[in-house]
Amino acid sequence: MSKKKIISIAQITQDDVEDLAFGCALLGTGGGGSVGGAILEVKSAIKKFGPVTVVQLENVPADGLVMPICGIGAPTISFEMLNNGGEAQLLRQEVERVFNKPVVAIMASEIGGSNGVEPVMWASRLGLPIVDADTMGRAFPEVQMGSFFVRGLPLTPIILVDFQGNSITITPTSGESAESESRAFTIAAGGVALMADYINPAATMIGNVIVGSISNAIEMGRAVRGTHEPMKRLTDLLGAHALITGKISEIERHTHGGFVRGSVTICGTGIDSGRQVSIDIQNENLVAKENGRILASVPDLISMLDTQTGTAIATEEMKYAMRVTAMAWPCDPLWRTERALQTVGPRAFGYDIDYVPIEKSQR
């Protein structure tokens, strides 16, 4: 699994939230939910309940139950259906009832978008530490698209709750059924729910997660804070490639089956004048194309950034005439394995193309 250097972050305070949100938005590749509202929620929770302790899995009791947590649904709907503040407590109660043991820590299922930020709020509210890891190192749109599934860990019960206080426990028979059954509840709940999946003891999780996710997200925010050249700083930090700089000339976006789907077209400006790049969306940015040529694709990360500030733009926030830079960079090595590509590669999303690493496609 990931061998990223872990920056020593002992806790998350109000001062860290905006840096965390910046990095999570970038890693969200357009999905995972907009971080704007999450920033306010997390700061409010920390002010009321206190800072959140950040721990490594090795420092959690081996048999202690860790609860991965994330929002599931269409990001466009989450703008209108705000959480009521009690969902995580209900989720914890249901997890402890089903597993018959206490939750000792939570973890973000995906570090991308608000799904990387809001777990800090839930941790603060619940008085629990948060693990410095996640299962994706980015955001992916479907439940089975995580490291536990790719590593072949046995499926565990999935528990979902909604803002009305409804809950459901699913015992999936496959990764596909984990996705379809969870998505069905989410649609019935109005399009948004809170979910805990792959709930396991800490010892089971060690070696099967993307480590240092929270620390790395915060470091991204710190790296660009105050800089006058955010795009250059991010390119150097991530080993990223700028696909095109220009203006959004067309957006096609709709909500279907619990996802935001569509595409966005960018017309180049400056040195990219005369070029036109389109990016396909399923919550996250999936494939970038130019005149039929694939510039970048999942599982590598593709993010749309504000050209002036370097701030990542969520798919639900893209607007006509925005000045943007589409940037792509390498995914965690886990996602380039054969089993992982079957789960999160272009063909997993219906494309009749093979995955080509961004380092090769941009030579």
Short mmCIF file of all heavy atoms in Angstrom, two decimals, residues 198-242:
data_model
loop_
_atom_site.label_atom_id
_atom_site.label_comp_id
_atom_site.label_asym_id
_atom_site.label_seq_id
_atom_site.Cartn_x
_atom_site.Cartn_y
_atom_site.Cartn_z
N TYR A 198 -17.23 -1.07 5.52
CA TYR A 198 -15.95 -1.72 5.84
C TYR A 198 -15.51 -1.38 7.26
O TYR A 198 -14.35 -1.01 7.51
CB TYR A 198 -14.89 -1.36 4.81
CG TYR A 198 -14.92 -2.28 3.61
CD1 TYR A 198 -15.50 -1.87 2.41
CD2 TYR A 198 -14.40 -3.56 3.68
CE1 TYR A 198 -15.55 -2.74 1.32
CE2 TYR A 198 -14.45 -4.43 2.61
CZ TYR A 198 -15.02 -4.02 1.42
OH TYR A 198 -15.07 -4.86 0.36
N ILE A 199 -16.44 -1.53 8.18
CA ILE A 199 -16.17 -1.30 9.60
C ILE A 199 -15.35 -2.49 10.11
O ILE A 199 -15.77 -3.64 10.00
CB ILE A 199 -17.49 -1.17 10.37
CG1 ILE A 199 -18.35 -0.06 9.74
CG2 ILE A 199 -17.26 -0.93 11.84
CD1 ILE A 199 -19.83 -0.27 9.90
N ASN A 200 -14.18 -2.21 10.65
CA ASN A 200 -13.25 -3.28 11.05
C ASN A 200 -12.42 -2.87 12.25
O ASN A 200 -12.28 -1.67 12.54
CB ASN A 200 -12.29 -3.59 9.89
CG ASN A 200 -12.88 -4.55 8.87
OD1 ASN A 200 -13.05 -5.74 9.15
ND2 ASN A 200 -13.18 -4.04 7.68
N PRO A 201 -11.82 -3.84 12.93
CA PRO A 201 -10.82 -3.51 13.95
C PRO A 201 -9.61 -2.86 13.30
O PRO A 201 -9.30 -3.11 12.12
CB PRO A 201 -10.45 -4.88 14.54
CG PRO A 201 -11.57 -5.79 14.16
CD PRO A 201 -12.08 -5.29 12.85
N ALA A 202 -8.91 -2.06 14.07
CA ALA A 202 -7.75 -1.34 13.54
C ALA A 202 -6.72 -2.29 12.94
O ALA A 202 -6.12 -2.00 11.89
CB ALA A 202 -7.12 -0.49 14.64
N ALA A 203 -6.48 -3.43 13.59
CA ALA A 203 -5.47 -4.37 13.12
C ALA A 203 -5.77 -4.87 11.71
O ALA A 203 -4.85 -5.11 10.92
CB ALA A 203 -5.37 -5.56 14.08
N THR A 204 -7.05 -5.02 11.38
CA THR A 204 -7.44 -5.48 10.04
C THR A 204 -7.18 -4.41 9.00
O THR A 204 -6.87 -4.71 7.84
CB THR A 204 -8.93 -5.87 10.03
OG1 THR A 204 -9.15 -6.89 11.00
CG2 THR A 204 -9.36 -6.38 8.66
N MET A 205 -7.27 -3.16 9.41
CA MET A 205 -7.12 -2.05 8.46
C MET A 205 -5.66 -1.75 8.13
O MET A 205 -5.37 -1.24 7.05
CB MET A 205 -7.78 -0.80 9.02
CG MET A 205 -9.30 -0.88 9.11
SD MET A 205 -9.98 0.70 9.63
CE MET A 205 -11.72 0.43 9.32
N ILE A 206 -4.77 -2.06 9.04
CA ILE A 206 -3.35 -1.74 8.81
C ILE A 206 -2.85 -2.43 7.54
O ILE A 206 -3.03 -3.62 7.35
CB ILE A 206 -2.50 -2.15 10.03
CG1 ILE A 206 -2.85 -1.28 11.24
CG2 ILE A 206 -1.01 -2.03 9.72
CD1 ILE A 206 -2.17 -1.70 12.52
N GLY A 207 -2.23 -1.65 6.66
CA GLY A 207 -1.73 -2.17 5.40
C GLY A 207 -2.76 -2.20 4.30
O GLY A 207 -2.45 -2.60 3.17
N ASN A 208 -3.99 -1.78 4.60
CA ASN A 208 -5.07 -1.84 3.60
C ASN A 208 -5.72 -0.50 3.35
O ASN A 208 -6.84 -0.44 2.83
CB ASN A 208 -6.12 -2.85 4.05
CG ASN A 208 -5.60 -4.27 4.05
OD1 ASN A 208 -5.08 -4.75 3.04
ND2 ASN A 208 -5.68 -4.94 5.19
N VAL A 209 -5.06 0.58 3.73
CA VAL A 209 -5.60 1.92 3.55
C VAL A 209 -4.56 2.82 2.90
O VAL A 209 -3.38 2.46 2.79
CB VAL A 209 -6.05 2.53 4.89
CG1 VAL A 209 -7.21 1.74 5.50
CG2 VAL A 209 -4.88 2.59 5.88
N ILE A 210 -5.00 3.99 2.47
CA ILE A 210 -4.08 5.03 1.97
C ILE A 210 -3.68 5.86 3.18
O ILE A 210 -4.52 6.54 3.78
CB ILE A 210 -4.77 5.92 0.92
CG1 ILE A 210 -5.49 5.07 -0.15
CG2 ILE A 210 -3.75 6.87 0.29
CD1 ILE A 210 -4.60 4.24 -1.01
N VAL A 211 -2.43 5.80 3.56
CA VAL A 211 -2.01 6.45 4.81
C VAL A 211 -1.67 7.93 4.60
O VAL A 211 -1.30 8.36 3.51
CB VAL A 211 -0.80 5.72 5.43
CG1 VAL A 211 -1.14 4.28 5.77
CG2 VAL A 211 0.41 5.78 4.49
N GLY A 212 -1.81 8.70 5.69
CA GLY A 212 -1.42 10.11 5.67
C GLY A 212 -2.35 11.02 4.91
O GLY A 212 -1.98 12.15 4.57
N SER A 213 -3.60 10.59 4.67
CA SER A 213 -4.50 11.36 3.83
C SER A 213 -4.82 12.74 4.39
O SER A 213 -4.79 13.74 3.66
CB SER A 213 -5.82 10.59 3.63
OG SER A 213 -5.57 9.32 3.09
N ILE A 214 -5.13 12.81 5.67
CA ILE A 214 -5.46 14.09 6.29
C ILE A 214 -4.24 15.01 6.30
O ILE A 214 -4.31 16.18 5.93
CB ILE A 214 -6.00 13.88 7.71
CG1 ILE A 214 -7.39 13.23 7.65
CG2 ILE A 214 -6.06 15.20 8.47
CD1 ILE A 214 -7.96 12.87 9.01
N SER A 215 -3.11 14.47 6.70
CA SER A 215 -1.88 15.26 6.75
C SER A 215 -1.52 15.80 5.38
O SER A 215 -1.13 16.97 5.23
CB SER A 215 -0.74 14.40 7.29
OG SER A 215 -0.98 14.00 8.62
N ASN A 216 -1.65 14.97 4.36
CA ASN A 216 -1.29 15.41 3.02
C ASN A 216 -2.24 16.48 2.49
O ASN A 216 -1.82 17.41 1.81
CB ASN A 216 -1.26 14.21 2.08
CG ASN A 216 -0.07 13.30 2.33
OD1 ASN A 216 0.99 13.75 2.74
ND2 ASN A 216 -0.24 12.02 2.08
N ALA A 217 -3.54 16.35 2.81
CA ALA A 217 -4.50 17.37 2.39
C ALA A 217 -4.18 18.72 3.03
O ALA A 217 -4.21 19.76 2.37
CB ALA A 217 -5.92 16.92 2.73
N ILE A 218 -3.88 18.68 4.33
CA ILE A 218 -3.53 19.93 5.03
C ILE A 218 -2.26 20.52 4.46
O ILE A 218 -2.14 21.75 4.28
CB ILE A 218 -3.39 19.67 6.55
CG1 ILE A 218 -4.77 19.35 7.15
CG2 ILE A 218 -2.75 20.87 7.25
CD1 ILE A 218 -4.73 18.95 8.61
N GLU A 219 -1.30 19.67 4.13
CA GLU A 219 -0.04 20.17 3.56
C GLU A 219 -0.28 20.86 2.22
O GLU A 219 0.38 21.86 1.90
CB GLU A 219 0.95 19.02 3.40
CG GLU A 219 2.31 19.42 2.86
CD GLU A 219 3.06 20.37 3.80
OE1 GLU A 219 2.72 20.45 4.98
OE2 GLU A 219 4.00 21.04 3.31
N MET A 220 -1.21 20.37 1.42
CA MET A 220 -1.53 21.02 0.15
C MET A 220 -2.04 22.44 0.38
O MET A 220 -1.65 23.38 -0.32
CB MET A 220 -2.60 20.21 -0.60
CG MET A 220 -2.10 18.90 -1.15
SD MET A 220 -3.45 17.96 -1.92
CE MET A 220 -2.65 16.37 -2.13
N GLY A 221 -2.93 22.57 1.37
CA GLY A 221 -3.43 23.90 1.68
C GLY A 221 -2.34 24.84 2.16
O GLY A 221 -2.26 26.01 1.76
N ARG A 222 -1.47 24.33 3.01
CA ARG A 222 -0.38 25.16 3.53
C ARG A 222 0.59 25.56 2.42
O ARG A 222 1.17 26.65 2.45
CB ARG A 222 0.37 24.40 4.62
CG ARG A 222 -0.43 24.21 5.91
CD ARG A 222 0.33 23.35 6.91
NE ARG A 222 -0.38 23.24 8.18
CZ ARG A 222 -0.02 22.45 9.18
NH1 ARG A 222 1.08 21.69 9.04
NH2 ARG A 222 -0.73 22.40 10.29
N ALA A 223 0.77 24.66 1.45
CA ALA A 223 1.75 24.90 0.39
C ALA A 223 1.39 26.09 -0.49
O ALA A 223 2.28 26.77 -1.01
CB ALA A 223 1.90 23.65 -0.46
N VAL A 224 0.10 26.35 -0.68
CA VAL A 224 -0.30 27.44 -1.57
C VAL A 224 -0.71 28.69 -0.82
O VAL A 224 -0.93 29.74 -1.43
CB VAL A 224 -1.46 26.99 -2.50
CG1 VAL A 224 -1.04 25.80 -3.33
CG2 VAL A 224 -2.71 26.68 -1.71
N ARG A 225 -0.83 28.59 0.51
CA ARG A 225 -1.28 29.75 1.28
C ARG A 225 -0.30 30.91 1.11
O ARG A 225 0.89 30.80 1.40
CB ARG A 225 -1.39 29.37 2.76
CG ARG A 225 -2.13 30.42 3.59
CD ARG A 225 -1.89 30.23 5.07
NE ARG A 225 -2.13 28.84 5.50
CZ ARG A 225 -1.57 28.31 6.55
NH1 ARG A 225 -0.70 29.00 7.26
NH2 ARG A 225 -1.84 27.07 6.91
N GLY A 226 -0.78 32.02 0.61
CA GLY A 226 0.04 33.22 0.47
C GLY A 226 0.90 33.26 -0.78
O GLY A 226 1.54 34.29 -1.04
N THR A 227 0.92 32.19 -1.58
CA THR A 227 1.76 32.20 -2.78
C THR A 227 1.08 32.98 -3.90
O THR A 227 -0.15 33.02 -4.00
CB THR A 227 2.05 30.76 -3.26
OG1 THR A 227 2.91 30.84 -4.41
CG2 THR A 227 0.77 30.05 -3.67
N HIS A 228 1.90 33.59 -4.76
CA HIS A 228 1.37 34.30 -5.92
C HIS A 228 1.35 33.41 -7.16
O HIS A 228 0.88 33.83 -8.22
CB HIS A 228 2.22 35.55 -6.20
CG HIS A 228 2.18 36.56 -5.08
ND1 HIS A 228 1.03 37.23 -4.72
CD2 HIS A 228 3.15 36.99 -4.23
CE1 HIS A 228 1.28 38.05 -3.71
NE2 HIS A 228 2.56 37.91 -3.38
N GLU A 229 1.88 32.20 -7.02
CA GLU A 229 1.92 31.26 -8.14
C GLU A 229 1.35 29.91 -7.71
O GLU A 229 2.07 28.91 -7.64
CB GLU A 229 3.35 31.09 -8.65
CG GLU A 229 3.98 32.35 -9.21
CD GLU A 229 5.37 32.09 -9.74
OE1 GLU A 229 6.20 31.53 -8.99
OE2 GLU A 229 5.61 32.41 -10.92
N PRO A 230 0.05 29.86 -7.38
CA PRO A 230 -0.53 28.62 -6.88
C PRO A 230 -0.46 27.46 -7.86
O PRO A 230 -0.24 26.32 -7.46
CB PRO A 230 -1.98 29.00 -6.58
CG PRO A 230 -2.24 30.20 -7.45
CD PRO A 230 -0.95 30.94 -7.49
N MET A 231 -0.61 27.74 -9.15
CA MET A 231 -0.60 26.66 -10.12
C MET A 231 0.79 26.02 -10.21
O MET A 231 0.92 24.80 -10.26
CB MET A 231 -1.02 27.17 -11.51
CG MET A 231 -2.38 27.86 -11.52
SD MET A 231 -3.70 26.83 -10.83
CE MET A 231 -3.74 25.52 -12.00
N LYS A 232 1.82 26.85 -10.19
CA LYS A 232 3.18 26.31 -10.23
C LYS A 232 3.48 25.52 -8.96
O LYS A 232 4.07 24.44 -9.01
CB LYS A 232 4.19 27.44 -10.40
CG LYS A 232 5.65 26.93 -10.51
CD LYS A 232 6.61 28.07 -10.69
CE LYS A 232 8.04 27.54 -10.94
NZ LYS A 232 8.50 26.64 -9.86
N ARG A 233 3.04 26.05 -7.81
CA ARG A 233 3.30 25.37 -6.55
C ARG A 233 2.62 24.00 -6.52
O ARG A 233 3.21 23.00 -6.10
CB ARG A 233 2.79 26.23 -5.39
CG ARG A 233 3.10 25.69 -4.00
CD ARG A 233 4.60 25.75 -3.70
NE ARG A 233 5.11 27.08 -3.69
CZ ARG A 233 5.10 27.90 -2.63
NH1 ARG A 233 4.57 27.49 -1.49
NH2 ARG A 233 5.64 29.09 -2.70
N LEU A 234 1.39 23.93 -7.02
CA LEU A 234 0.67 22.66 -7.03
C LEU A 234 1.26 21.69 -8.05
O LEU A 234 1.34 20.49 -7.79
CB LEU A 234 -0.81 22.90 -7.34
CG LEU A 234 -1.62 23.55 -6.21
CD1 LEU A 234 -3.02 23.90 -6.68
CD2 LEU A 234 -1.68 22.63 -5.00
N THR A 235 1.65 22.21 -9.20
CA THR A 235 2.27 21.36 -10.21
C THR A 235 3.52 20.69 -9.66
O THR A 235 3.74 19.48 -9.83
CB THR A 235 2.62 22.18 -11.46
OG1 THR A 235 1.42 22.73 -12.01
CG2 THR A 235 3.29 21.31 -12.52
N ASP A 236 4.34 21.46 -8.96
CA ASP A 236 5.56 20.92 -8.38
C ASP A 236 5.25 19.93 -7.25
O ASP A 236 5.88 18.87 -7.15
CB ASP A 236 6.44 22.05 -7.85
CG ASP A 236 6.98 22.95 -8.96
OD1 ASP A 236 6.96 22.52 -10.13
OD2 ASP A 236 7.39 24.08 -8.66
N LEU A 237 4.29 20.28 -6.40
CA LEU A 237 3.96 19.46 -5.24
C LEU A 237 3.38 18.10 -5.64
O LEU A 237 3.73 17.06 -5.07
CB LEU A 237 2.96 20.20 -4.35
CG LEU A 237 2.50 19.48 -3.08
CD1 LEU A 237 3.67 19.33 -2.11
CD2 LEU A 237 1.35 20.23 -2.42
N LEU A 238 2.51 18.11 -6.65
CA LEU A 238 1.78 16.90 -7.03
C LEU A 238 2.42 16.13 -8.18
O LEU A 238 2.02 14.99 -8.45
CB LEU A 238 0.34 17.27 -7.42
CG LEU A 238 -0.49 17.98 -6.35
CD1 LEU A 238 -1.80 18.47 -6.95
CD2 LEU A 238 -0.76 17.04 -5.17
N GLY A 239 3.37 16.73 -8.86
CA GLY A 239 3.87 16.12 -10.09
C GLY A 239 2.79 16.14 -11.15
O GLY A 239 2.61 15.19 -11.92
N ALA A 240 2.04 17.26 -11.18
CA ALA A 240 0.84 17.35 -12.02
C ALA A 240 1.16 17.90 -13.42
O ALA A 240 2.21 18.50 -13.66
CB ALA A 240 -0.20 18.23 -11.34
N HIS A 241 0.19 17.68 -14.32
CA HIS A 241 0.27 18.18 -15.69
C HIS A 241 -0.94 19.07 -15.95
O HIS A 241 -2.08 18.66 -15.70
CB HIS A 241 0.26 17.03 -16.70
CG HIS A 241 1.40 16.07 -16.52
ND1 HIS A 241 2.56 16.13 -17.26
CD2 HIS A 241 1.54 15.02 -15.67
CE1 HIS A 241 3.37 15.15 -16.87
NE2 HIS A 241 2.78 14.46 -15.91
N ALA A 242 -0.70 20.30 -16.44
CA ALA A 242 -1.79 21.18 -16.82
C ALA A 242 -2.29 20.73 -18.19
O ALA A 242 -1.54 20.75 -19.17
CB ALA A 242 -1.33 22.62 -16.86
#
